[in-house]
Amino acid sequence: MRKQIAAANWKMNLTIQQGEQLLNDIISKPHELAAHQLAVFAVPFPYLQMAAQKLAGKTNVFVAAQNCSNKKNGAYTGETSVEILQSVGIQYVVLGHSERREYYNESNQFLAEKLDICLANNMKPIFCCGEPFAIREANTQNEFVAKQLDESLFHLTATQLQEVVIAYEPIWAIGTGKTASSAQAQEIHAFIRSHIAATYGVEIAETISILYGGSVKASNAVELFSQTDVDGGLVGGASLIADEFVAIINALS
Ligand code: PGA
């Protein structure tokens, strides 16, 4: 059975005190995770250790970094390597978020390097893809997303690919309150799975978790997550509110 994942992306929000309080609030509320369901918290770098310690021992709950370096180690001031993340207990990293692609010029090729270094070192990537509004208007989103996958992921072996979680996040839906409809989400998720199947085969494609991101809230999570090819969500704004995020965790079907 594919993993279903509710992933919180705090982005550059909250102080460590507020973050700690938020985690306390979330874990104190009733939430249910079946064996194949995970909750992941992508927090700012200085909070990784606090979050990892607080959530240690909680079954199926993990902490993620929001980025990592494409280099192993060395003279790269301001960068954080996979090894550094692992040394503070981190097992997941978000890669290629549209904000990193847009504001920090991260290309598909650059992200391929980051994926390689993660996968060579047992770090699990949550790889983001998704189109801007102009591409959606031109109805060429499938081609756009296929290129992102081809150039960043499709050099991986099948075994490596199975360690990757994909997050489809249409840029026009991120932080805008404008969610893709569940039909739009299902359509492109099914396309992503079929595109993986064309290279790696149906059996491998069926094992890959594909999350939807872009204005996921408690009020739309149940419907989005009930789609056949939607295996959970990557959640920004709503993950900063305990009740919202707990409801999103509980919406994993
Ligand atoms: P949002 O962000 O839920 O605030 O739209 C999602 C994301 O950027 O991962």
Side-chain angles (χ1 to χ4, degrees):
M1 194 176 232
R2 281 202 291 276
K3 282 199 184 79
Q4 296 184 322
I5 303 173
N9 179 9
W10 289 4
K11 308 191 181 185
M12 197 171 73
N13 291 300
L14 309 176
T15 62
I16 193 165
Q17 291 79 12
Q18 291 167 333
E20 192 163 10
Q21 184 63 50
L22 178 58
L23 289 177
N24 284 335
D25 290 348
I26 290 170
I27 57 188
S28 69
K29 288 178 197 293
H31 56 277
E32 281 174 40
L33 290 166
H36 66 291
Q37 296 175 337
L38 313 181
V40 178
F41 294 86
V43 308
F45 285 112
Y47 313 167
L48 287 170
Q49 208 166 0
M50 173 280 288
Q53 282 167 1
K54 184 163 288 292
L55 301 174
K58 301 249 173 286
T59 311
N60 292 358
V61 180
F62 297 93
V63 180
Q66 298 175 13
N67 186 22
C68 73
S69 174
N70 62 326
K71 305 288 189 202
K72 190 168 170 7
N73 56 27
Y76 301 100
T77 302
E79 290 292 292
T80 303
S81 69
V82 167
E83 188 180 29
I84 290 172
L85 294 175
Q86 286 174 327
S87 74
V88 293
I90 303 307
Q91 298 166 52
Y92 283 84
V93 61
V94 176
L95 292 180
H97 191 280
S98 63
E99 287 148 18
R100 297 225 50 94
R101 294 173 182 267
E102 188 177 353
Y103 307 139
Y104 303 97
N105 300 317
E106 296 197 2
S107 66
N108 294 339
Q109 288 74 16
F110 185 58
L111 292 167
E113 291 178 20
K114 294 192 182 196
L115 282 149
D116 286 343
I117 200 149
C118 284
L119 293 166
N121 294 284
N122 296 317
M123 174 66 81
K124 294 183 196 308
I126 300 175
F127 174 78
C128 304
C129 58
E131 80 287 352
F133 188 58
I135 296 288
R136 174 61 67 160
E137 273 191 318
N139 199 29
T140 53
Q141 62 275 7
N142 288 5
E143 292 80 354
F144 186 92
V145 170
K147 188 167 156 49
Q148 291 180 319
L149 302 176
D150 292 349
E151 294 184 357
S152 295
L153 291 185
F154 280 18
H155 63 289
L156 301 175
T157 65
T159 312
Q160 286 178 319
L161 187 73
Q162 286 180 291
E163 295 299 314
V164 179
V165 173
I166 295 176
Y168 166 71
E169 300 202 300
I171 297 170
W172 46 271
I174 295 178
T176 58
K178 203 169 151 190
T179 319
S181 68
S182 52
Q184 283 173 320
Q186 169 55 26
E187 191 182 5
I188 193 153
H189 281 229
F191 167 74
I192 291 170
R193 203 177 301 288
S194 71
H195 189 65
I196 295 169
T199 299
Y200 292 92
V202 176
E203 222 167 283
I204 299 291
E206 282 297 324
T207 65
I208 310 283
S209 300
I210 308 175
L211 315 185
Y212 168 80
S215 300
V216 175
K217 311 185 258 299
S219 60
N220 58 27
V222 171
E223 186 176 345
L224 284 163
F225 298 173
S226 70
Q227 304 300 307
T228 318
D229 289 290
V230 178
D231 305 309
L234 179 57
V235 187
S239 76
L240 302 174
I241 304 160
D243 285 335
E244 281 281 315
F245 194 64
V246 169
I248 290 166
I249 293 174
N250 289 331
L252 293 172
S253 47

